[in-house]
Amino acid sequence: MGKKVNKMSIKKILGIIILLNIAGLLAINFFPYPENFVYPYLTSHGLIPYKQIFDQHFPGLLFFPINFYSLGMRTPEDARFWLLATVVINHILIFLLSGKLFKSKWYILPNLLYAVFQPFFEGYVLWIDSIAPIFLLTGAYFLITKDKEELKIRHYLLSGLFLGIGIVFKQIFLPIVGLVFIYLFLKEKNKSKALAFLIFPTILTSLLFIYMKGRGVWDDFWFWTVKFNATTFAKFGRKYPSVGELAKTSLVFGFGLVSWVYIILKDWSHNKVVLGLFLVGGLMFAYARFDFVHLQPALPFAVLIISLFLEKVPKNKYLLKGIGVWVLITGLIVIRFYKMNVGNSVYFFGDKEAKLSQEVEKYAKPGESVFAFATTPAIYPMTNTLPSGHIFVFDFPWFMMEAQTRVLLGLESDPPKVVIKDDNAIIDGMKFIDYMQDINIYIEKKYKTVGTIDGIKIMIPR
C-alpha cells in the first residue's frame, strides 16, 4: 500500500511539474514558424511541394496531403495547443524512461529539469525540432531495458518504427539511425536483432522516395533536400553559435556530455550508451544552423543523463559546491530569460500582420495572386490568396540564389493583384533585396506604392 501511495504521489508531482511548464510557456511570447502555416496551406490548395514550393526539408506534416492545415492547425491558437501537447507528451515519455533508469525518488528529477530548461532553449517556438523529441524518446524507450531485461525483436522493430517516422519529418534522423544501428550491430551477438532495427527506417524511407517518384517530383525533391543542402545552403545558410550562446548551451549540454563520460567510465552499460548516443544524435539537429530551438531534440537526453550523474555523484564537498554554483548560475539565467520574454505577443501574427492582411484584402479576392517580397510570408493563408504563378519560396538569400528566376517567371506570367514589400529586411547581416535585384527591378517598374505599414510598402499595378 505504501508503494502505491508513493507512486501516486510521484504522479501528482509530475502533474504539477507539467502544469508549471505549461504556465511558463503561456506567460511568454509565442513563436510559431510561418512554415507551419504556409507550406501546409499551399499544399492543401494544389501547389506541388518541391516543384512549386521550394524547401529543403523532408515532408512530415508540411507537405503530405495529411498535414498541419488538413489536421486543423490554421491559427496561432491552434499552433500553441500543438506545442503544449508535444510538451506534455515529452514529459510523459521522459517519466516513463526515468522509471526504467532510476530505482529511487530521483526519477522525477529529469522532468523537473526539463520543465526548467525547455522554455529557455526556445521552447516557446513551434517547429519540426519541437516535435522531434517524441520520436527520439519513443525510439530510445524501446531500447532502454529495466533490470537488465533482454531486448526482444519487437523492441528493435518498435524503436526503428518511431525513428523511421522521424526520418519522414527531417533528414537528420538518418545519421541518428545509422549511429544507433552501428552500436547495436557491434553489441548484439544475434545480428538479426540489430537488422530488425533497420526494417522500418528502410521501409519508410523507401516509401517516401517512391511517393516522390510517383508524384513526378523526384528530381526537384532530390535537388532541394540533398544537393541544395550540401552546396548552397551549406555555404551561405549555415549559422554558427556566438560565444554567449555556447556558454549558455554548455551549462546543460556541456554538463550533459561530461556527465555521460563520467558515467560511462564508471559503468559501461547498455542503457548508458544508448542515452549518450541519443544525446549526440539530438545535438546533430543544431549542426546546420544553430538556434536554441534546434537543441530541443537533445534536451530530454541531457536532463536524463545529468540526473543520473547527480544521483551517482560521490559526496565530495568540491563537487557539491560546483553543483551548487551550477544551480545558481542556471537559475539566474533562466530568471533573466523569463523577464525578457514575458508577454502575449505572437511572432509573425501581430497587429502589423493583421493590418497588412486587411490592406491586401482590399485589392485581392480569395484565390487570387499576391506577392510578399521579403516580408510576412504567412500573408497567403491569412488572406486566403496564392503566390504569383503558384510558385513559392521563402525569401532567404540562399534560396533566392537558386530560385529567383523561377519566382520572376511566376510574377511575369501571373501578375499579382497586390505586392507587399520590405526594402530593408535583413537576415544574418544580409539584405534580402540585394539577392533579389531582378525581382526588385520588375516590381518597381510594374507597381506603384499606395501606402505603407510599419515601413512595408503596399503596391498595386501601375
Side-chain angles (χ1 to χ4, degrees), residues 7-76:
K7 286 183 178 180
M8 286 301 296
S9 299
I10 292 293
K11 289 179 180 178
K12 288 179 181 178
I13 294 172
L14 173 65
I16 293 170
I17 290 173
I18 293 174
L19 289 175
L20 288 173
N21 197 164
I22 291 173
L25 291 172
L26 291 175
I28 58 179
N29 300 318
F30 178 44
F31 189 137
Y33 268 36
E35 290 92 326
N36 296 322
F37 300 93
V38 180
Y39 290 157
Y41 167 81
L42 295 178
T43 299
S44 297
H45 282 74
L47 273 70
I48 303 172
Y50 309 110
K51 186 177 285 292
Q52 294 175 302
I53 309 170
F54 308 137
D55 185 71
Q56 68 200 99
H57 299 95
F58 276 14
L61 289 175
L62 299 176
F63 292 129
F64 280 131
I66 298 176
N67 54 49
F68 284 128
Y69 185 86
S70 66
L71 291 173
M73 198 187 86
R74 303 184 182 186
T75 67

Side-chain angles (χ1 to χ4, degrees), residues 251 255 309-310 313-314 316-330:
L251 285 172
F255 187 16
F309 171 77
L310 294 176
V313 69
N316 180 295
K317 66 177 182 179
Y318 296 108
L319 274 174
L320 294 175
K321 285 182 180 180
I323 292 169
V325 171
W326 176 77
V327 171
L328 177 62
I329 292 174
T330 53

Side-chain angles (χ1 to χ4, degrees), residues 15 37 74 106 112 185 195 221 237 240 247 253 257 275 283 286 304 309 315 337 345 352 383 400 402 409 451:
F37 300 93
R74 303 184 182 186
W106 284 92
L112 178 60
F185 190 81
L195 291 171
F221 170 77
Y240 297 98
F253 299 97
L257 288 170
L275 283 177
L283 289 171
L304 282 163
F309 171 77
K315 301 300 183 288
F337 159 79
S345 298
K352 178 183 72 175
T383 58
M400 278 300 173
E402 301 289 349
L409 287 173

Side-chain angles (χ1 to χ4, degrees), residues 124-173:
Y124 55 89
V125 174
L126 179 63
W127 181 228
I128 301 170
D129 306 71
S130 314
I131 300 171
I134 294 174
F135 307 118
L136 290 169
L137 284 165
T138 311
Y141 177 81
F142 288 110
L143 293 180
I144 296 292
T145 64
K146 186 174 184 179
D147 299 325
K148 297 183 179 180
E149 65 179 339
E150 182 184 356
L151 288 170
K152 308 294 185 184
I153 288 287
R154 68 174 182 275
H155 295 119
Y156 292 92
L157 287 170
L158 289 169
S159 178
L161 171 62
F162 283 94
L163 293 179
I165 294 172
I167 291 172
V168 177
F169 279 73
K170 207 164 187 180
Q171 300 94 307
I172 199 63
F173 275 91

Side-chain angles (χ1 to χ4, degrees), residues 41 114 139 163 191 267 317 355:
Y41 167 81
Y114 182 74
L163 293 179
K191 303 304 180 186
D267 177 17
K317 66 177 182 179
K355 292 176 183 177

Side-chain angles (χ1 to χ4, degrees), residues 46 93 106 168 238 256 261 263 334 349 365 394 396 411 451 457:
L93 290 171
W106 284 92
V168 177
R238 191 176 300 282
V261 172
I263 292 167
V334 169
F349 292 91
K365 298 176 183 177
F394 274 85
F396 296 129
L411 285 167
K457 296 178 180 179

